[in-house]
Amino acid sequence: MHFSEEQLNEIQEMAALFFGPEQIAINIEVDVDDFTDLITNKTGDAYKAYCTGRLSSEIELRTSIKNAALNGSTPAQTLFVTYFKESQL
């Protein structure tokens, strides 16, 4: 499946807003099953754009949680400790 640069940008932008593969496929007007397979199988440029978008927002979100934790937010501290424990090998 080939995607235009515009479609790849849209995939990245929508993934950054945590839209799912089905919603993205509908928006960029491609077959839902084919697109979902690409994301599930972790292949191609669409998967890379999807991951880039999701990760960029997750970085922003975790940075905000970290800042809130450092400023004394107990829920943010608890969540940040959870992220810490999950990241250990």
Side-chain angles (χ1 to χ4, degrees):
M1 194 173 221
H2 178 72
F3 297 93
S4 69
E5 198 63 37
E6 182 180 335
Q7 286 174 313
L8 292 173
N9 289 335
E10 190 70 17
I11 292 167
Q12 186 173 334
E13 184 177 330
M14 289 185 72
L17 296 170
F18 302 119
F19 283 98
E22 184 176 325
Q23 295 163 316
I24 295 171
I26 291 167
N27 188 60
I28 64 171
E29 299 179 348
V30 297
D31 184 82
V32 171
D33 293 330
D34 290 344
F35 184 79
T36 302
D37 285 345
L38 288 175
I39 303 305
T40 302
N41 294 324
K42 302 178 181 181
T43 59
D45 291 336
Y47 175 72
K48 290 176 189 174
Y50 183 80
C51 285
T52 299
R54 288 187 61 86
L55 287 172
S56 68
S57 283
E58 189 169 352
I59 289 167
E60 289 178 30
L61 184 60
R62 287 186 183 215
T63 299
S64 293
I65 292 166
K66 176 186 171 190
N67 290 335
L70 293 173
N71 286 317
S73 167
T74 303
Q77 290 169 342
T78 302
L79 186 54
F80 206 65
V81 168
T82 301
Y83 290 149
F84 171 72
K85 287 178 181 176
E86 288 175 356
S87 70
Q88 292 181 322
L89 296 175

